[in-house]
Amino acid sequence: MAKTKELEVRLEKTEQQLSLFQKISRLMVRDLSFQEVLKGVVSLVVEFTEGDSCLVYLLDGSELALCAASTPHPAAIGKVRLRLDEGLTGWVARERRLLSISREAYKDPRFKAFSDLLPEDTYEAFLSAPLIARNRVVGVINVQHRLPHQHTGSEMEALTTVGEQVGCVLVLARMSPDALECAELALPSGPVAVKQ
Amino acid sequence: MAKTKELEVRLEKTEQQLSLFQKISRLMVRDLSFQEVLKGVVSLVVEFTEGDSCLVYLLDGSELALCAASTPHPAAIGKVRLRLDEGLTGWVARERRLLSISREAYKDPRFKAFSDLLPEDTYEAFLSAPLIARNRVVGVINVQHRLPHQHTGSEMEALTTVGEQVGCVLVLARMSPDALECAELALPSGPVAVKQ
């Protein structure tokens, strides 16, 4: 019986992760605006991780700018900007690595506070992954829990894959219609042979 | 015991599907050429479905051109071209729907043979999904089994999601460096606010 129960739990978790990727895939094919894609992604990630907040920062020149949040942040969106050598988020972009802190994230020496704008700065647990497209970091996605939270392997794996899935669609969504047209003109005129 | 066995089988299948998406995600972030992405995708899909062949057609003007195959097809790549009103593949692109035929696919009234170039034309089972990016069909991916094969829900679901995942990365990979540069110049200069 214990084995059956354990299998049921594992199956449920695996199905939830699969469902997260499928939902993000559905978002990717729809002709949504940049903002709609971001909004959809933060909602799905918060639902999957049961986190209290999900924030997305995108690289804008040499800085990371807060571009989307799962909870209302009217004051912070567009105002919170980090250099790549600032904060936990800057570290994740610079190192291109997943970061998981289960408690007292605000005590980490890399931490930078924006407490007047971001209530998340007092949260305990911090999970963060780079957004990647064409082998370059284009942003960072963070999930935060108010209380201490030991991130599971499945949460860490899922955020890594979300970061990979979303980077590509963000680059496409961010293109102006002109840029897309330009890209279409650049399609090879004949089919491209694949080396066998 | 029967329940445990059933759970184990379901868990294994779900984990395989998850692993397929994760591997395709890894392909997506690497700065691979168009050809390398296609080659990686057809290999992963054949491995997952245990099919005998996986072919990818891409829209080139008003026609679908065979661009990648899991098995060597030196003669067919670049030669096999279909209009959107031709063949099962044309139907999938036109209707933007998944097509599953478990036996005698070659007897389907929509079928168009290229038997001198494609041994797959004698295969029994045919599973096909559109490749989609930014809400437009950009190609078709087909999996074929030599012998009759009842496609499982998980196979159909997986090919649908692969078609959604891959369309986006193909559009990016297909862009010339000039086009990508053009796209980068089009990035908004400030962060984009998300409606809360």
Side-chain angles (χ1 to χ4, degrees), chain A residues 4-15:
Chain A
T4 305
K5 185 71 200 157
E6 185 212 316
L7 281 170
E8 278 172 352
V9 171
R10 278 180 59 195
L11 181 61
E12 196 193 337
K13 278 196 199 299
T14 311
E15 281 175 344

Side-chain angles (χ1 to χ4, degrees), chain B residues 115-128:
Chain B
S115 313
D116 47 336
L117 292 171
L118 288 182
E120 285 83 349
D121 282 354
T122 60
Y123 290 7
E124 290 284 332
F126 183 91
L127 181 64
S128 176

